[in-house]
Amino acid sequence: MGQSTSSSSQSGEQPQLPPVKNLDQFLDRLRQLLRAECLTRQEEDWFRSLFVKFSSGSDTTPTWDESDLIEFLGITLPDDIKPTLRTAGPLIHRCMIRLGSFPYQNQPVSSLTPDVALVAVIILLRRHKKWARAISDAATGEDDEEEKWSEWQRRLFFQCMAIRDSPEEDSNQRETASNVGRNDVDDKDLLRAYRFVSDHNKRRDWERHPKIVHHGPPMISASELPSSQSQDFSGFIPRNELESLVKLLIANQLYLIGNGPEILVQEGEQLDVCVESIMNSFPRSDEAPGIGWESFNRVFSELPNIFSGINRLLAPFITPHDREQIDSAARADISVLLQNIYSSPSQPSKLPEGSIFSLPILAEIATFLPEGRLAFQDASLLYTTKGAKLELATLKREMDQRSQPLLLLVSGVASGKGDSNERTSICIGAFLPDKDQEKRHIEQGILPMLSNVFQLRPSHNVSSGPEATVTGEESSNILEVKIAERDYATARLVLDEQAQTAIIHHRKHDENGDTPTSEIEVKAVDLVGFPSDKGLLDSLVDRKFFIDSEPKLKGK
């Protein structure tokens, strides 16, 4: 056991830790620790220089309003998508202010200052996931660690994007936050942030006195601080703002393989169809002013990687270059400099074009396929047919002889009578990991990739499970992909050669326990393969926007 002493008794050897006696000191210490743990000194200095240059406020108290944020984010985006950015701007600005107010995102500060913005960027870029994960709900080593992490992120993002029903709920009155009937669930974010600060209220001199622990002054108790109101799910997200954000995210989904927004916006209508299908998953109601928590949580729980594109948007914030050029340059010159650094697209990945498979489809599917564990840039088209009769024997042979992750895509129109051109277009599919590869992962202690049965058109519905069962002999007229989910519900995709149809049975998730089913008249089928034992980062095409998740700590 190490010896323990207060910092005051060792003031000659160790600088005193700052006092944490009130709310402002608590928040200042939390923000300082997050910066110290999750950013390098160069990253922070670069950020602060840019923030001052693009602030419409004074140099002494710089702040960013919506127009400042939109102008900066737009520097590295193509002109075609800037109207989308302007629509999403209020949501992004609101979200950054609230995230930067953590754990009081439900009683946020009023302005986006550098300190507030830095905390927001740290959380949005998931820098805290390793070095400050104590502030989230996930605990290292738990089997459901990633699931808890995703749940925490969705809750936090909704609370930070939503507009409250009454203006007073958005006021900067943290000190007067209601403490009546508060409990640990209401104080969840506060207690985790408090633990993070408390754990750092001590230090050691590892070189001279490694066994002596220097403690800071006693902290204010958590019960004396206002409640974080962590279970406040009031308010809504305006549909047009969320739709624009989704378009930005899809356009930025494949930036690491050289297919950034400069490439995706060229797809025009196909990109819009992807966005429309995701938004169709949110129910429309004349009574609801926007997207509420329940539908937000349901839809985005099926798209766990939807926010990955944020890295491409925010990379210029903390990817340092020549800071002296920034400090001495005019604002317009800095914009040109950043455009030269970031906007010139590298050689994009040459992906195969199938009857269904395309760049926008891959960007859309990447929102739920295993993040970072598939080399999208090395996808290959193994089988494709369009307009011809469905022949399952050939498809089955391709699936059976391949030892690699497979993506099956099926498109057509809703089954029924009448002109097929007037029937609803439907696209469904399945993702099947390589079983041999997954066995090796389990032996190595790596979580296996989940299998998926999904629908992309006209709206999204994604079912996931630890293993898929594929049945159907080569001579059979039926091919079935079945996934048993964790809640024991079953999702199935069935191809019928004789009827030339496909049926998808989704999991049970509605309040009546009904199983949504879609039957389509098949028009096209694609089978896409990804290399085994190779991930996205193994052969990056575009490193301009790559953000290292493990910064070198600069000390506290």
Side-chain angles (χ1 to χ4, degrees):
M1 297 290 291
Q3 302 176 42
S4 179
T5 183
S6 67
S7 61
S8 57
S9 65
Q10 299 290 328
S11 58
E13 299 180 11
Q14 287 282 326
Q16 285 195 357
L17 288 162
V20 182
K21 299 291 188 181
N22 54 46
L23 177 63
D24 288 338
Q25 289 178 351
F26 170 73
L27 292 176
D28 286 344
R29 180 62 173 154
L30 173 64
R31 292 166 184 164
Q32 186 270 328
L33 286 171
L34 286 172
R35 296 194 302 270
E37 294 283 358
C38 303
L39 297 173
T40 66
R41 173 63 66 187
Q42 292 77 14
E43 288 172 338
E44 182 178 344
D45 290 346
W46 169 263
F47 176 92
R48 291 186 182 278
S49 294
L50 286 176
F51 198 96
V52 170
K53 285 292 185 178
F54 284 86
S55 171
S56 56
S58 65
D59 291 345
T60 54
T61 56
T63 60
W64 275 17
D65 59 20
E66 291 176 9
S67 60
D68 296 328
L69 179 61
I70 291 170
E71 179 185 355
F72 183 80
L73 293 178
I75 290 174
T76 62
L77 292 178
D79 290 340
D80 289 345
I81 207 167
K82 287 183 179 178
T84 302
L85 173 64
R86 286 192 288 272
T87 303
L91 182 153
I92 300 173
H93 187 261
R94 182 169 65 246
C95 183
M96 290 190 68
I97 287 179
R98 287 179 169 273
L99 282 175
S101 302
F102 182 85
Y104 293 107
Q105 66 272 11
N106 285 319
Q107 307 98 43
V109 299
S110 57
S111 302
L112 189 61
T113 63
D115 286 348
V116 171
L118 274 169
V119 173
V121 168
I122 287 169
I123 294 176
L124 287 168
L125 294 179
R126 296 176 287 184
R127 275 293 184 86
H128 65 292
K129 192 174 179 182
K130 180 169 184 178
W131 297 109
R133 67 180 307 114
I135 68 172
S136 73
D137 292 345
T140 304
E142 292 185 359
D143 291 340
D144 58 352
E145 176 185 342
E146 284 301 315
E147 187 175 336
K148 286 187 175 181
W149 155 254
S150 296
E151 290 173 356
W152 179 82
Q153 182 188 57
R154 288 195 304 276
R155 175 177 65 81
L156 198 66
F157 281 6
F158 176 81
Q159 291 174 332
C160 294
M161 294 178 185
I163 294 176
R164 296 299 186 262
D165 295 327
S166 55
E168 58 269 19
E169 293 181 51
D170 245 354
S171 63
N172 180 24
Q173 298 294 330
R174 294 188 304 275
E175 290 84 351
T176 61
S178 174
N179 292 325
V180 178
R182 63 191 283 189
N183 53 43
D184 287 355
V185 177
D186 295 322
D187 289 350
K188 181 186 295 185
D189 293 326
L190 167 63
L191 293 175
R192 294 193 180 282
Y194 186 88
R195 183 180 67 183
F196 177 65
V197 174
S198 178
D199 288 345
H200 287 80
N201 195 36
K202 55 183 179 289
R203 61 163 58 119
R204 297 173 189 256
D205 184 344
W206 290 101
E207 294 183 359
R208 292 181 295 177
H209 305 291
K211 294 184 178 181
I212 298 178
V213 180
H214 301 270
H215 289 271
M219 290 173 49
I220 186 176
S221 68
S223 61
E224 294 177 273
L225 294 168
S227 172
S228 56
Q229 301 178 8
S230 304
Q231 296 304 298
D232 183 357
F233 295 110
S234 61
F236 64 91
I237 304 174
R239 180 178 283 270
N240 66 324
E241 292 182 2
L242 185 61
E243 182 173 359
S244 294
L245 177 64
V246 168
K247 184 172 182 177
L248 284 174
L249 295 174
I250 296 296
N252 286 282
Q253 197 72 27
L254 302 177
Y255 69 99
L256 287 177
I257 65 171
N259 290 289
E262 301 89 352
I263 307 299
L264 266 294
V265 294
Q266 297 176 19
E267 301 292 335
E269 184 179 350
Q270 285 196 58
L271 177 60
D272 291 335
V273 169
C274 294
V275 175
E276 181 182 6
S277 295
I278 293 176
M279 294 306 297
N280 284 343
S281 304
F282 295 100
R284 288 185 178 272
S285 171
D286 294 337
E287 298 178 359
I291 308 298
W293 162 244
E294 289 187 3
S295 58
F296 180 92
N297 186 47
R298 176 180 58 80
V299 172
F300 286 139
S301 67
E302 297 181 355
L303 308 174
N305 310 326
I306 183 71
F307 297 106
S308 298
I310 287 177
N311 285 31
R312 162 64 177 79
L313 283 173
L314 300 187
F317 271 126
I318 66 163
T319 309
H321 290 273
D322 187 349
R323 183 186 165 193
E324 292 184 1
Q325 286 185 282
I326 298 295
D327 291 337
S328 60
R331 188 161 165 168
D333 295 331
I334 296 174
S335 296
V336 174
L337 173 66
L338 293 176
Q339 286 172 351
N340 291 335
I341 293 172
Y342 292 107
S343 292
S344 53
S346 62
Q347 184 65 32
S349 296
K350 297 296 184 182
L351 298 175
E353 285 286 335
S355 301
I356 309 168
F357 188 68
S358 64
L359 200 60
I361 287 284
L362 179 59
E364 186 178 358
I365 293 175
T367 61
F368 59 84
L369 290 185
E371 185 177 24
R373 297 176 66 177
L374 294 173
F376 294 143
Q377 63 271 29
D378 296 317
S380 57
L381 189 64
L382 308 177
Y383 171 87
T384 184
T385 179
K386 182 177 182 180
K389 184 179 178 181
L390 177 62
E391 295 181 354
L392 291 182
T394 306
L395 177 60
K396 289 174 185 175
R397 280 197 301 272
E398 289 293 339
M399 296 179 69
D400 291 341
Q401 68 186 18
R402 302 287 177 174
S403 179
Q404 63 185 124
L406 299 174
L407 177 68
L408 175 65
L409 295 170
V410 182
S411 70
V413 296
S415 296
K417 298 179 180 180
D419 188 348
S420 62
N421 294 325
E422 297 178 358
R423 284 182 258 153
T424 303
S425 295
I426 299 177
C427 182
I428 60 178
F431 170 70
L432 307 170
D434 177 9
K435 290 185 177 181
D436 293 336
Q437 179 187 28
E438 294 313 298
K439 288 179 182 178
R440 293 193 295 272
H441 285 165
I442 293 173
E443 293 171 354
Q444 297 166 4
I446 301 173
L447 287 175
M449 290 189 280
L450 295 179
S451 304
N452 303 111
V453 165
F454 55 84
Q455 177 174 305
L456 301 181
R457 306 284 180 271
S459 61
H460 268 236
N461 195 316
V462 183
S463 299
S464 303
E467 186 175 356
T469 302
V470 181
T471 58
E473 299 297 328
E474 190 171 316
S475 59
S476 171
N477 291 322
I478 299 293
L479 174 67
E480 180 183 61
V481 178
K482 182 166 61 176
I483 293 177
E485 299 187 278
R486 295 172 182 174
D487 58 1
Y488 302 106
T490 300
R492 294 186 297 136
L493 186 155
V494 182
L495 288 171
D496 187 328
E497 180 177 319
Q498 185 173 357
Q500 293 290 293
T501 60
I503 300 176
I504 185 168
H505 301 270
H506 301 293
R507 64 181 180 182
K508 296 179 180 179
H509 61 64
D510 62 20
E511 59 184 10
N512 299 319
D514 294 332
T515 303
T517 301
S518 298
E519 182 173 351
I520 72 174
E521 181 183 312
V522 176
K523 299 293 185 181
V525 176
D526 280 349
L527 183 66
V528 180
F530 302 98
S532 294
D533 293 320
K534 186 176 183 181
L536 179 66
L537 302 184
D538 291 335
S539 58
L540 280 186
V541 175
D542 192 347
R543 287 190 172 269
K544 293 196 303 295
F545 293 95
F546 177 66
I547 300 174
D548 194 339
S549 61
E550 300 187 12
K552 183 178 180 181
L553 301 187
K554 64 188 180 186
K556 300 176 280 293

